[in-house]
């Protein structure tokens, strides 16, 4: 409707005025707003959806699986087709959403150095394979928004000085004061590049094959809105904004989390939600916890933020047998208001990030954690600190191997400890994300590290489908055991209203060897106590400490055992988790 169009146009113009307040534009803001709305096909003569603020477009049944398009391969067909077959066979009634990591043509970083945003990597399949997956699963697409490949047509045009992309990239001078710039890598920030217009120094936050965009050019925003519209047409229901914290650069600043970055996200949110209010934006901001929380905005930026502090804190908890740091962090986390939620994960295609643990774990704790992971076969990735020192940035290891033991060394509790970690994560406030290699209990892939020379390859195994099926069908394999127990946990979780991502959550005080929290459904009918023994010794729970209401009937949803609140104590085996509920959906 025209009235809605005018209102939206005014809102988009307001975003643009805030973004480009200090930039001399080559066109009026109103004209740019019209171009953006036209790109998103938000026309005056069409009905424009009015999104409802603070609406939750998710519930307890949502589980996102994180996977590469070729994590499972059959030599006789395209990997995206094989992935679909795998999901239909082994993830029935568990997974309903899938994050397919970048499936576009790329030159490095396993997909995050995109050559062409508009096509599917031929080695994986084609758009029809993606849209087929979208028929059964809500798909998360990566929007690699900070940088693209140095082999892209856009960057080639930058070198030539003509054509689309010729003015898309951020440059600086080696003489500029870049001392405050926050770096996630130790490679030189500026890439010396010979162009038809002379030598230029291109900004490269991550690597010299990943050249950063210049969002002060509004044509870059227009190009990305075209990409977003294409992805919506191809079935995207969730957008993951990769490395978005680095999007806006101002020489002389930290060039991270700048106000303009937040405003660009708000602009994207406004345009996307007027196309389809049910599409979710998740920001991938691997930064300290306090900074990460700012990406919720006032429920007008990201719908969800990655809970990056959870993986290092939970792994630390389980290898030390002490939950004090995890508990303190959880108590400090603000409840996500309606219309926003956390995206919980404990393993992904990347490693276990340590920056989000800064201020939560002290240097000695981080050092012990790093040393323990190295003993378990893990690799360490480093970054440069503000003083030029190298600091551990990320632990590269599969979660299954990260939990093979404690600080005392490997032990016999690997599978139980691994399942305990997921039982804690699956019950927490937020939407759970499960990495395919966690679902499969995959171990460190040293051969791939040797082949690629990249530490992160340790956690990016490509399974041959026939080999994997044989292991999953063997009741004695770690892969069968893990998939069976993980699937059981997920199915139970999906049936509990108290596990709605926005259901009430309180942290329980049960000492440092037991980690627990209480969840209550939005209608207040279901109470659920999640309690985990995070040690390799049996622990007792004093039932009066968790205050089970005597008039209710209580049951552990995992073991199916009834819990008598008057019985005094509940004994928990090493790494056992109980989900004690006053309702039994079964």
């Amino acid at each position: 409707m025209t009235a809605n169009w005018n209102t939206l146009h005014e809102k988009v113009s307001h975003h643009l005025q805030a973004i480009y307040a200090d930039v001399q534009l080559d066109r009026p803001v109103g004209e740019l707003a019209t171009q953006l709305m036209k790109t998103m096909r938000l026309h005056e003569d069409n009905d424009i959806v009015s999104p409802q603020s603070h609406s939750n477009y998710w519930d307890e049944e949502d589980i996102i699986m994180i996977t590469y398009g070729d994590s499972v391969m059959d030599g006789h067909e395209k990997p995206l087709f094989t992935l679909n077959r795998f999901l239909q066979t082994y993830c029935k009634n568990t997974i309903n959403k899938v994050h397919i990591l970048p499936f576009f043509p790329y030159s490095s970083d396993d997909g995050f150095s995109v050559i062409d945003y508009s096509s599917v990597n031929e080695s994986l399949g084609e758009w029809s394979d993606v849209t087929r997956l979208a028929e059964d699963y809500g798909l998360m697409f990566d929007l690699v928004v900070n940088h693209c490949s140095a082999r892209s047509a856009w960057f080639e045009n930058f070198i030539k000085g003509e054509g689309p992309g010729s003015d898309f990239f951020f440059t600086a001078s080696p003489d500029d004061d870049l001392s405050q710039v926050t770096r996630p890598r130790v490679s030189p920030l500026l890439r010396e590049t010979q162009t038809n217009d002379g030598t230029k120094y291109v900004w490269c936050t991550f690597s010299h094959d990943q050249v950063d965009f210049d969002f002060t050019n509004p044509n870059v925003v227009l190009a990305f809105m075209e990409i977003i519209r294409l992805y919506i047409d191809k079935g995207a229901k969730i957008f993951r904004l990769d490395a978005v914290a680095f999007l806006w650069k101002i020489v002389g600043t930290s060039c991270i989390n700048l106000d303009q970055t937040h405003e660009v996200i708000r602009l994207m949110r406004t345009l996307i939600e007027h196309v389809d209010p049910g599409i979710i934006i998740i920001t991938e901001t691997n930064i300290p916890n306090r900074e990460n929380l700012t990406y919720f905005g006032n429920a007008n930026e990201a719908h969800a933020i990655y809970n990056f502090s959870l993986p290092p804190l939970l792994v630390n908890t389980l290898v030390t047998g002490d939950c004090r740091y995890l508990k303190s962090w959880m108590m400090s986390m603000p409840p996500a208001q309606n219309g926003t939620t956390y995206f919980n994960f404990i393993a992904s295609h990347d490693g276990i990030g340590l920056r989000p643990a800064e201020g939560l774990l002290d240097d000695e704790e981080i050092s012990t954690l790093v040393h323990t992971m190295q003993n378990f076969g893990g690799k360490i990735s480093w970054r440069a600190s503000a003083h030029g020192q190298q600091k551990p940035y990320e632990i590269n290891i599969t979660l299954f191997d990260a939990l093979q033991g404690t600080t005392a060394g490997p032990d016999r509790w690997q599978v139980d400890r691994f399942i305990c970690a997921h039982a804690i994560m699956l019950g927490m406030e937020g939407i759970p994300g499960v990495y395919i290699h966690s679902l499969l209990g995959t171990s460190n892939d040293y051969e791939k590290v040797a082949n690629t020379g990249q530490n992160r390859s340790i956690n990016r195994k490509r399974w041959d489908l026939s080999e994997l099926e044989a292991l999953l069908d063997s009741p004695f394999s770690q892969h069968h055991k893990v998939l069976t127990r993980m699937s059981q946990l997920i199915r139970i979780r999906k049936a509990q209203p108290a596990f709605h991502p926005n259901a009430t959550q309180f942290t329980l005080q049960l000492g440092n060897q037991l980690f627990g929290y209480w969840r209550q459904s939005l209608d207040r009918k279901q109470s659920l106590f999640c309690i985990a023994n995070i040690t390799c010794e049996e622990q007792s729970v004093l039932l009066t400490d968790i205050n089970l209401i005597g008039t209710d009937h209580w049951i552990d949803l995992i073991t199916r055992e009834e819990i008598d609140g008057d019985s005094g104590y509940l004994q928990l085996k090493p790494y056992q988790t109980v989900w004690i509920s006053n309702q039994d959906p079964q």
Side-chain angles (χ1 to χ4, degrees), residues 162-322:
E162 61 182 19
S166 60
D167 55 355
F168 275 19
F169 298 96
F170 196 87
T171 60
S173 166
D175 298 326
D176 288 333
D177 180 6
L178 305 177
S179 59
Q180 295 184 54
V181 176
T182 299
R183 295 299 316 285
R185 300 288 186 271
V186 294
S187 58
L189 176 62
L190 300 182
R191 165 191 162 135
E192 183 176 345
T193 304
Q194 302 304 320
T195 76
N196 287 351
D197 296 325
T199 302
K200 294 189 177 181
Y201 295 89
V202 181
W203 195 284
C204 299
T205 299
F206 291 92
S207 79
H208 282 194
D209 185 52
Q210 293 165 295
V211 284
D212 284 30
F213 291 110
D214 181 2
F215 272 83
T216 64
N217 179 356
N219 290 327
V220 175
V221 176
L222 276 165
F224 270 98
M225 293 317 301
E226 288 179 7
I227 294 164
I228 287 170
R229 182 67 240 198
L230 171 67
Y231 292 175
I232 292 173
D233 292 341
K234 298 299 185 182
K237 289 298 182 185
I238 307 172
F239 282 97
R240 175 185 182 271
L241 304 188
D242 177 67
V244 70
F246 301 96
L247 179 143
W248 197 273
K249 290 93 176 166
I250 299 177
V251 171
T253 73
S254 64
C255 298
I256 189 171
N257 305 324
L258 298 186
D259 291 343
Q260 293 90 337
T261 292
H262 287 277
E263 196 66 45
V264 170
I265 296 170
R266 289 193 280 270
L267 170 66
M268 290 180 174
R269 165 78 176 259
T270 293
L271 290 165
I272 289 170
E273 69 185 1
H274 280 84
V275 173
D276 181 350
I279 293 176
I280 298 168
I281 294 172
I282 300 182
T283 48
E284 187 268 333
T285 43
N286 193 353
I287 51 180
N289 191 56
R290 186 180 295 273
E291 298 169 25
N292 192 26
L293 289 167
T294 65
Y295 283 86
F296 278 139
N298 185 27
N300 62 349
E301 290 187 39
H303 296 88
I305 61 173
Y306 272 73
N307 228 340
F308 274 111
S309 297
L310 179 59
L313 290 178
L314 185 50
V315 171
N316 181 73
T317 292
L318 289 164
V319 299
T320 63
D322 186 334

Side-chain angles (χ1 to χ4, degrees), residues 308-345:
F308 274 111
S309 297
L310 179 59
L313 290 178
L314 185 50
V315 171
N316 181 73
T317 292
L318 289 164
V319 299
T320 63
D322 186 334
C323 69
R324 74 182 73 179
Y325 298 102
L326 179 63
K327 187 165 54 177
S328 295
W329 165 76
M330 193 157 172
M331 290 168 61
S332 72
M333 290 294 282
Q337 60 180 305
N338 282 331
T340 66
T341 190
Y342 295 105
F343 179 57
N344 295 326
F345 74 106

Side-chain angles (χ1 to χ4, degrees), residues 104-117 144-159 165 168-169 191 202-204 206-213 224 242:
F104 319 106
Y106 71 96
S107 55
S108 64
D109 199 14
D110 279 355
F112 286 95
S113 185
V114 180
I115 293 175
D116 178 9
Y117 288 85
V144 186
V145 72
N146 178 70
H147 52 260
C148 72
S149 169
R151 288 173 48 194
S152 65
W154 282 343
F155 195 66
E156 289 175 358
N157 287 342
F158 170 82
I159 292 172
F168 275 19
F169 298 96
R191 165 191 162 135
V202 181
W203 195 284
C204 299
F206 291 92
S207 79
H208 282 194
D209 185 52
Q210 293 165 295
V211 284
D212 284 30
F213 291 110
F224 270 98
D242 177 67

Side-chain angles (χ1 to χ4, degrees), residues 151 418 570:
R151 288 173 48 194
F418 182 79
L570 177 65

Side-chain angles (χ1 to χ4, degrees), residues 54-61 335-341 429-430 496-505 518-528 582-583:
H54 301 286
S55 295
N56 298 326
Y57 294 101
W58 45 79
D59 60 27
E60 61 273 14
E61 294 191 24
Q337 60 180 305
N338 282 331
T340 66
T341 190
E429 174 191 0
Q496 313 310 319
F499 284 153
H500 185 286
N502 294 88
T504 300
Q505 176 175 287
W518 172 75
R519 303 293 309 276
Q520 185 183 59
S521 60
L522 297 176
D523 62 9
R524 300 188 177 184
K525 292 180 180 179
Q526 185 183 28
S527 283
L528 222 165
N582 65 341
Q583 285 189 358

